[in-house]
Amino acid sequence: MTFQINIGGSSNDPFYRYKMPPVAVVNKSGKTEIINLSAIAHELERPENFLRATFKAVFNTTVTEKHGKTILAGTFTQKQLQDCLSTIVKKYVLCPVCENPETIITKEGTMSCRSCGHDAKLDLPSSLKKCL
């Protein structure tokens, strides 16, 4: 079994059921490759393009996809990308009421929780809305 981290849960709870792989990066020639964004997107139940667009906006850089790898122009550390992903999870994955990651985002920018039933209107930039 590969190493997994908790999605929005306490980092010291080994029995937390919502897990994802940590961001895996390779830096080469002034570029940063995220080699496992598809696995992360799958666990978060968000489109890869949504995550790419968020990285693009946060780091103000060019982000492309090639052979299943996400490539960012510039050199970024694993910690920078993991911290950014944690912010994405808090803003766009976790329910603001029950803090459960069982949510769905619509193209209209509404996040619905499949666990507690809460609906929340998100303030999504148009660059993220078009990725849903």
Side-chain angles (χ1 to χ4, degrees), residues 56-72:
K56 179 179 179 176
V58 169
F59 294 112
N60 194 28
T61 190
T62 305
V63 179
T64 57
E65 187 275 330
K66 187 174 184 180
H67 305 298
K69 296 177 185 171
T70 296
I71 303 167
L72 288 78

Side-chain angles (χ1 to χ4, degrees), residues 34 37 41 44 46-64 70 72 76 80-93 105 122-132:
I34 301 175
L37 194 65
L44 296 177
R46 295 296 181 265
E48 284 182 66
N49 283 340
F50 182 84
L51 300 178
R52 280 190 203 103
T54 307
F55 286 133
K56 179 179 179 176
V58 169
F59 294 112
N60 194 28
T61 190
T62 305
V63 179
T64 57
T70 296
L72 288 78
F76 301 96
Q80 286 175 300
L81 294 168
Q82 192 67 55
D83 287 349
C84 180
L85 188 60
S86 293
T87 301
I88 294 168
V89 167
K90 287 177 186 149
K91 286 176 79 171
Y92 304 123
V93 178
I105 296 181
L122 297 175
D123 186 23
L124 282 175
S126 60
S127 61
L128 295 182
K129 279 185 183 178
K130 68 182 181 182
C131 297
L132 296 171

Side-chain angles (χ1 to χ4, degrees), residues 94-103 113 115-118:
L94 296 178
C95 173
V97 173
C98 69
E99 296 185 349
N100 190 309
E102 291 186 27
T103 59
C113 181
S115 184
C116 73
H118 179 73

Side-chain angles (χ1 to χ4, degrees), residues 3-24:
F3 177 69
Q4 299 276 298
I5 60 175
N6 294 342
I7 299 173
S10 171
S11 61
N12 60 4
D13 181 357
F15 301 105
Y16 190 71
R17 69 179 180 168
Y18 303 104
K19 304 265 188 194
M20 70 177 185
V23 177

Side-chain angles (χ1 to χ4, degrees), residues 18-34:
Y18 303 104
K19 304 265 188 194
M20 70 177 185
V23 177
V25 299
V26 175
N27 289 309
K28 353 175 163 169
S29 306
K31 296 181 181 179
T32 302
E33 292 181 4
I34 301 175

